[in-house]
Amino acid sequence: MPKQRILSGVQPTGNLHIGNYLGAIRNWVENQVNYENFFCVVDLHALTAPHNPNELAEHTRRTAALYIACGIDPQQSTIFVQSHISAHAELTWLLNCITPLNWLERMIQFKEKAIKQGENVNAGLLDYPVLMASDILLYQADLVPVGEDQKQHLELTRDIVVRFNDQFGSDRDVPILKLPEPLIRKEGARVMSLTDGTSKMSKSDPSEMSRIHLLDDADTIAKKIKRCKTDTIRELEFDNPDRPECHNLLSLYAILSGKTKEAVQAECADMRGWGDFKPLLAETVINSLQPIQTKYYEVVNEKGYLDRVLKAGREKAGAIAFETLKQVKSALGFLLP
Ligand code: AQP
């Protein structure tokens, strides 16, 4: 049986943090032997929010290097940069022309991000889900690992597939575009901000103190954890809705230490509050990130290595993507060159 194909990516909108690692990349790594994997750095998506052109290329390289540092093996998985394959932008245009505007206007993430961005909202933000659909459909992916926040976008992708295949491929035995399925983890890690336990840790949060970057040094990590938001209650507990920061920090410790909730709860019962817990959490985070950081500097210091990985990724991914694009254009009736 051929392996099922997976596609996923992270936007190079800033420095990757432990939320990106625990919520996404770590799961890709754990499952990579089971699937045929395509992992891209979705740099075209990064333009849907105001961005700094002086940083985009560097963040793109850093994100790709961090995929490898976190355990994505270029021998097992195809790693590439979205904008290196022009088929992503081209398929987006073609799918735009068959996607009703009101499908996009009802996307929750658009509404939420549009409010955040205020007057700077660009048309790309509305179109983000069509670009995401193109990313997935170009590779005829079977499965797409998504968190709750992306489920609606995957539904939209599926609606686009059904519409396209019905309108332009009803006479074919094999559908032109494959209907992808969401791959939703049973237990998802949602890491919350260090400065507000009710909002998720995010690359674009203006406060550096709200997140721990994968490349933060030990002193910075210790400082961020020492200063992170807590409360005045001495007892440490999970699942108290009035204490989101407490739940977040304990969960982070449980995930990174590999201990169960019950074991962490028992360990914390003997502690004298945050003064005991925070140094333990800091040490655990530092030790967990240390191998990733070591590998990261190996990757970026080996001359030409990352460029070779991205070139091989571009060639392999590009061959599949342009074949799909050709089929789509043919179905739409274009005069092919
Ligand atoms: N706090 C989080 N906890 C768990 N998972 C998270 N992810 C992001 N933040 C957390 C997961 O990381 C992957 C990559 O996300 P993305 O870069 O495509 O965009 P995002 O989800 O919007 O991530 P950020 O860090 O919040 O970036 P900005 O600030 O640019 O919007 C996704 O799989 C996501 O679920």
Side-chain angles (χ1 to χ4, degrees), residues 10-11 13 17 19-20 23-24 113 189 191 200-204:
V10 173
Q11 303 181 71
T13 35
H17 51 74
N20 299 129
K113 289 204 170 180
V191 182
K200 79 163 188 155
M201 188 177 282
S202 198
K203 289 184 236 94
S204 54

Side-chain angles (χ1 to χ4, degrees), residues 8-25 28 42 45 49 109 113 116 128 145-150 185 188-193 199-205 211:
S8 202
V10 173
Q11 303 181 71
T13 35
N15 291 311
L16 265 59
H17 51 74
I18 45 172
N20 299 129
Y21 175 59
L22 296 173
I25 303 171
W28 305 349
V42 286
H45 282 278
Q109 197 182 78
K113 289 204 170 180
K116 253 202 210 165
Y128 178 113
V146 281
E148 280 300 313
D149 54 335
Q150 291 293 336
R185 293 183 310 277
R190 190 166 163 82
V191 182
M192 309 309 279
S193 158
S199 61
K200 79 163 188 155
M201 188 177 282
S202 198
K203 289 184 236 94
S204 54
D205 189 314
R211 59 185 167 260

Side-chain angles (χ1 to χ4, degrees), residues 28-45:
W28 305 349
V29 172
E30 280 173 8
N31 292 318
Q32 74 179 321
V33 292
N34 301 323
Y35 300 108
E36 185 194 0
N37 311 284
F38 288 80
F39 297 124
C40 57
V41 181
V42 286
D43 54 349
L44 295 173
H45 282 278

Side-chain angles (χ1 to χ4, degrees), residues 94-273:
L94 303 178
L95 296 183
N96 271 337
C97 297
I98 66 142
T99 304
L101 188 56
N102 64 2
W103 286 9
L104 301 180
E105 285 168 339
R106 60 167 197 252
M107 291 294 111
I108 293 163
Q109 197 182 78
F110 169 70
K111 292 183 197 163
E112 285 176 356
K113 289 204 170 180
I115 291 169
K116 253 202 210 165
Q117 292 185 21
E119 288 178 1
N120 286 330
V121 178
N122 62 41
L125 187 67
L126 180 69
D127 206 26
Y128 178 113
V130 184
L131 179 58
M132 177 171 156
S134 302
D135 300 337
I136 298 165
L137 302 176
L138 278 175
Y139 300 96
Q140 308 281 9
D142 297 287
L143 297 165
V144 186
V146 281
E148 280 300 313
D149 54 335
Q150 291 293 336
K151 253 171 75 180
Q152 197 187 26
H153 289 168
L154 195 72
E155 276 308 315
L156 182 99
T157 301
R158 289 169 56 85
D159 290 343
I160 291 174
V161 170
V162 171
R163 193 177 173 92
F164 184 89
N165 287 342
D166 274 359
Q167 284 189 6
F168 304 104
S170 52
D171 54 337
R172 314 254 177 144
D173 296 336
V174 180
I176 301 167
L177 297 174
K178 186 176 265 186
L179 197 62
E181 300 286 340
L183 182 67
I184 297 173
R185 293 183 310 277
K186 279 184 218 85
E187 58 164 54
R190 190 166 163 82
V191 182
M192 309 309 279
S193 158
L194 295 184
T195 49
D196 173 7
T198 61
S199 61
K200 79 163 188 155
M201 188 177 282
S202 198
K203 289 184 236 94
S204 54
D205 189 314
S207 167
E208 288 285 322
M209 297 303 283
S210 69
R211 59 185 167 260
I212 293 169
H213 297 142
L214 296 181
L215 297 175
D216 274 346
D217 63 30
D219 287 349
T220 306
I221 294 170
K223 193 170 84 189
K224 286 180 178 175
I225 292 178
K226 193 169 175 199
R227 297 204 189 147
C228 75
K229 185 175 174 197
T230 48
D231 51 32
T232 52
I233 304 169
R234 204 167 124 181
E235 190 202 341
L236 303 180
E237 57 183 338
F238 286 98
D239 297 320
N240 182 340
D242 297 328
R243 304 183 67 197
E245 286 81 18
C246 186
H247 178 81
N248 185 40
L249 296 178
L250 262 59
S251 302
L252 200 53
Y253 175 62
I255 299 168
L256 291 175
S257 65
K259 294 177 184 169
T260 61
K261 239 167 124 174
E262 293 69 30
V264 171
Q265 192 71 74
E267 194 179 351
C268 290
D270 299 331
M271 290 184 187
R272 290 160 301 148

Side-chain angles (χ1 to χ4, degrees), residues 289-336:
L289 296 187
Q290 204 263 328
I292 294 175
Q293 298 182 354
T294 305
K295 177 79 182 163
Y296 172 83
Y297 290 109
E298 275 171 31
V299 168
V300 293
N301 289 330
E302 186 180 333
K303 206 166 174 294
Y305 173 70
L306 189 60
D307 291 330
R308 287 196 296 278
V309 169
L310 294 179
K311 181 168 180 277
R314 187 181 78 213
E315 284 166 4
K316 182 159 179 213
I320 300 170
F322 283 106
E323 176 54 34
T324 306
L325 184 66
K326 196 168 99 188
Q327 289 187 29
V328 167
K329 289 175 88 170
S330 162
L332 288 171
F334 281 91
L335 173 67
L336 298 179

